[in-house]
Amino acid sequence: MIQSKQTMAATKVLIVEDETPIREMIAFHLARAGFETLEAADCRRARELLADERPDLALVDWMLPDMSGLELTRMLRRDQENENLAIIMLTARADEHDKVTGLDSGADDYLTKPFSPRELVARIQAVLRRSGTGGETVLKSGTLELDPAGHRVLAGGAEVRLGPTEYRLLHFLMAHPERVYSRTLLLDRVWGANVYIEERTVDVHVRRLRKALERSGADRYIQTVRGAGYRFSPRNADA
Ligand code: CA
């Protein structure tokens, strides 16, 4: 296991972008916002830096010379080493953006060019908060509250008892609301990329989790999206 980040160290962001002016512009603004930056112009260099420098977050451009950003993201997600790495994908056009969203690449967020430095910094901070890199933030959603430090879940103020897998599943879903995750991706992110279990396993644990949340009504937050997977959405819980 990797040691948790020392609190004094700046958050390290790896910028994977082959267009030098864009990469340097991003690096400049991130440095100004207090981040430590690393730069890679291709996937090969990105992987070296990931191994040597262990960044907290990677900004990955869609179009790269040696491999697409999408392939790189998928590759990183398959590797347990990068379990705690947050990834934001940069896309040049809205249709790429749609593809990324639909393809379960494993990115935590997507940003379409051109974006303002302020928007970029805000997205990075939001992703880091969600991925828990920023500490053990209590997650609140609708009537649910999950406290990672106390390993405790409250629904409408009452404690809910969950098995370890249900807990991890809920933690992941609450950290990534309003997004559809396929069973395959949930297996990767909740069970780990190197574990070989059937996709049906996900359904079993979702069922258990819903059952545990039933009394509070929060079971409706976990929605089945036919042919796609599951979504955590307290907002449209009645839809
Ligand atoms: Ca590019």
Side-chain angles (χ1 to χ4, degrees), residues 160-182:
V160 180
R161 296 235 165 239
L162 295 177
T165 306
E166 285 73 48
Y167 176 86
R168 279 206 309 277
L169 180 61
L170 182 63
H171 192 183
F172 178 80
L173 291 171
M174 285 181 75
H176 303 85
E178 308 300 339
R179 189 165 293 164
V180 179
Y181 284 97
S182 68

Side-chain angles (χ1 to χ4, degrees), residues 17-19 61 63-64 113:
E17 162 68 89
D18 56 322
E19 282 161 86
D61 186 43
M63 291 291 283
L64 292 164
K113 294 175 186 173

Side-chain angles (χ1 to χ4, degrees), residues 18-108:
D18 56 322
E19 282 161 86
T20 309
I22 298 180
R23 193 181 62 242
E24 287 178 347
M25 185 272 288
I26 294 174
F28 170 78
H29 287 290
L30 292 187
R32 223 168 55 164
F35 294 102
E36 187 183 332
T37 58
L38 304 163
E39 298 180 42
D42 54 40
C43 295
R44 195 190 55 79
R45 181 69 186 135
R47 298 184 73 192
E48 284 172 4
L49 286 171
L50 282 161
D52 297 345
E53 300 280 343
R54 298 245 147 250
D56 303 285
L57 183 140
L59 291 174
V60 179
D61 186 43
W62 170 283
M63 291 291 283
L64 292 164
D66 48 349
M67 190 192 279
S68 83
L70 193 68
E71 284 172 283
L72 176 67
T73 300
R74 282 191 179 141
M75 183 178 282
L76 296 178
R77 279 294 173 242
R78 278 198 295 268
D79 189 351
Q80 204 110 58
E81 290 269 283
N82 304 306
E83 199 170 36
N84 299 315
L85 176 74
I87 302 175
I88 297 179
M89 191 98 167
L90 306 177
T91 61
R93 304 190 309 265
D95 58 327
E96 285 175 356
H97 188 280
D98 290 346
K99 263 191 220 159
V100 179
T101 317
L103 276 174
D104 281 350
S105 69
D108 297 282

Side-chain angles (χ1 to χ4, degrees), residues 116-179:
S116 70
R118 187 196 286 192
E119 189 182 3
L120 176 65
V121 170
R123 293 288 193 98
I124 289 176
Q125 284 164 343
V127 165
L128 290 174
R129 253 195 322 270
R130 286 208 304 263
S131 69
T133 312
E136 305 205 296
T137 325
V138 175
L139 299 171
K140 288 181 188 164
S141 239
T143 60
L144 279 181
E145 203 175 308
L146 186 144
D147 171 17
H151 211 276
R152 182 178 280 178
V153 176
L154 301 176
E159 187 161 357
V160 180
R161 296 235 165 239
L162 295 177
T165 306
E166 285 73 48
Y167 176 86
R168 279 206 309 277
L169 180 61
L170 182 63
H171 192 183
F172 178 80
L173 291 171
M174 285 181 75
H176 303 85
E178 308 300 339
R179 189 165 293 164

